[in-house]
């Protein structure tokens, strides 16, 4: 049995989709759609302030931006490169330039990278009610 640290609601690792499958699910989503699901992936970045969001690797150009339900829990700030299982709701979210710049600052991006953000984008969003961190 794999050992996991649990954050938020108690969730199960069984039945979680792989990153390629969740990428396909996002492809088929339209703005306003929501799917309840769970998937397993690698953490690409995490909020350095307090662990209040993380971005997960999937095939393609974009990460999945994970926030936590009701800001009810946080994850450790040093989990880049670790494997996690998240359970919750997948959806698309329009993100303003201002918000993108704010997140880029939180992630410790350079001033050049932040200045390069000039238009809103559709974000692959995920609201997690629980997270399992592989030990």
């Amino acid at each position: 049995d794999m050992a996991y640290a649990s954050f938020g609601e108690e969730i199960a690792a069984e039945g979680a989709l792989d990153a390629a499958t969740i990428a396909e699910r996002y492809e088929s989503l339209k703005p306003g759609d929501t799917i309840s699901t769970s998937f397993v992936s690698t953490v690409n970045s995490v909020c350095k302030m307090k662990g209040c969001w993380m971005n997960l690797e999937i095939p393609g150009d974009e990460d999945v931006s994970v926030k936590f339900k009701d800001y009810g829990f946080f994850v450790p700030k040093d989990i880049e490169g670790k494997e996690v299982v998240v359970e919750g709701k997948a959806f698309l979210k329009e993100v303003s330039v201002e918000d993108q710049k704010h997140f880029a600052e939180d992630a410790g991006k350079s001033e050049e990278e932040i200045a390069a953000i000039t238009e809103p984008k559709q974000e692959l969003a995920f609201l997690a009610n629980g997270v399992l961190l592989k030990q």
Side-chain angles (χ1 to χ4, degrees), residues 7 43 45-53 74-80 133:
F7 303 89
V43 178
S45 55
V46 63
C47 175
K48 292 292 184 267
M49 308 299 283
K50 53 180 190 279
C52 55
W53 54 261
F74 303 112
V75 294
K77 297 182 290 242
D78 60 351
I79 59 171
E80 267 128 358
L133 173 65

Side-chain angles (χ1 to χ4, degrees), residues 90-121:
F91 58 100
L92 299 177
K93 182 178 163 203
E94 169 99 350
V95 188
S96 69
V97 170
E98 191 184 357
D99 281 355
Q100 288 180 64
K101 287 181 185 281
H102 179 76
F103 287 128
E105 278 172 25
D106 275 359
K109 300 275 201 228
S110 70
E111 279 182 29
E112 290 77 32
E113 286 173 295
I114 293 168
I117 300 167
T118 56
E119 51 192 60
K121 66 170 183 129

Side-chain angles (χ1 to χ4, degrees), residues 25-42:
R25 296 284 164 90
Y26 273 110
E27 289 281 318
S28 66
L29 280 179
K30 296 183 294 301
D33 291 351
T34 302
I35 50 175
S36 294
T37 188
S38 63
F39 73 100
V40 58
S41 181
T42 305

